[in-house]
Amino acid sequence: QVQLVESGGGLVQPGGSLRLACAASGSIFNSGTMGWFRQAPGKERDIVARIRWSGGWTYIADSVKGRFTISRDNAKNTVYLQMNSLKPEDTAVYYCAADRAGWGTQEYEYDYWGQGTQVTVSS
């Protein structure tokens, strides 16, 4: 079993920055993919970014490309989402998820989910 705990959400003004962290504990794996998703009120949950534990390959959604980056610290079993130049439309609950062995291309491939952290971008 894997437990994922997100942190770092909060209220920020437009143009500001936040860094989310996702700490993984339990049966830690060295392969697979970690993903960040977000869900705004009344909307579906969408992928924001993902990263492979091994090799560090990353994917960033077009909607946040150039503003968000994903990284990992294997020694700490932690994945980060650095969010810069935040916009009101980035307001959502952000979820961390783990795909134990695959590339995490689809939401259903993720085996474990965190509880989510709220990000609100407002003046």
Side-chain angles (χ1 to χ4, degrees):
Q1 193 74 357
V2 173
Q3 293 80 42
L4 304 175
V5 179
E6 301 103 334
S7 61
L11 173 65
V12 63
Q13 292 186 342
S17 298
L18 282 174
R19 188 177 78 155
L20 305 183
C22 173
S25 61
S27 300
I28 303 301
F29 39 87
N30 294 319
S31 60
T33 301
M34 297 294 292
W36 283 100
F37 293 76
R38 68 183 182 185
Q39 186 168 24
K43 296 188 177 181
E44 294 184 351
R45 187 160 57 187
D46 295 322
I47 184 77
V48 175
R50 52 193 172 102
I51 186 168
R52 294 281 288 174
W53 276 117
S54 178
W57 174 91
T58 63
Y59 162 85
I60 303 293
D62 288 342
S63 59
V64 301
K65 193 169 292 183
R67 301 187 297 121
F68 290 14
T69 58
I70 187 170
S71 62
R72 89 256 190 249
D73 185 331
N74 291 53
K76 296 182 178 180
N77 293 319
T78 301
V79 175
Y80 303 96
L81 184 68
Q82 178 67 44
M83 305 185 295
N84 299 326
S85 301
L86 283 161
K87 305 175 181 180
E89 51 263 43
D90 295 319
T91 296
V93 177
Y94 284 71
Y95 297 92
C96 171
D99 175 353
R100 286 175 296 182
W103 286 81
T105 56
Q106 300 294 329
E107 184 175 336
Y108 67 82
E109 296 176 12
Y110 288 82
D111 305 289
Y112 304 100
W113 292 82
Q115 80 287 354
T117 184
Q118 177 70 46
V119 171
T120 302
V121 185
S122 175
S123 55

